[in-house]
Amino acid sequence: MVGVGLEGLAVHPETPGPSESAWLLAGGLALFYAGNAMIVAGTARSWRPVWPWPLVLVPVVLALGAAPLPTSLLHTAAFAVVTIVAAVHGTVVGRRPEAELSAD
């Protein structure tokens, strides 16, 4: 196919956003967090432990994907911050004694 290239795709980190790559990353992270919520709920046999974490992260990453940030690099940094905060929160909650977990 002559004349068909990938120049129209906004996958470079310096292109204005929200780009296709930001939407793709936001959708992938939303599915990842929804999957995490299902695994946690299935393990605990209750939906109680998944609210607000990690289920609240689904709309957060979708909102970040829709945000008109100037570059895709800023989208990626924002997604990384959300993921790091979620990992830190999960680690802190995982280290609490069982007596504290049942009080939630």
Side-chain angles (χ1 to χ4, degrees):
M1 298 177 81
V2 178
V4 176
L6 298 177
E7 296 84 24
L9 293 177
V11 293
H12 194 271
E14 298 303 322
T15 59
S19 65
E20 291 87 358
S21 60
W23 278 111
L24 184 65
L25 188 54
L29 281 174
L31 289 173
F32 172 75
Y33 292 130
N36 281 345
M38 284 191 263
I39 290 170
V40 169
T43 302
R45 296 182 189 258
S46 170
W47 283 102
R48 188 170 178 245
V50 299
W51 186 256
W53 298 91
L55 204 52
V56 75
L57 297 174
V58 172
V60 170
V61 294
L62 291 176
L64 282 175
L69 299 177
T71 66
S72 295
L73 187 59
L74 288 177
H75 277 108
T76 305
F79 293 137
V81 167
V82 168
T83 303
I84 290 168
V85 167
V88 168
H89 180 271
T91 302
V92 169
V93 168
R95 290 179 179 246
R96 283 197 274 175
E98 290 297 322
E100 288 182 28
L101 291 176
S102 63
D104 284 343

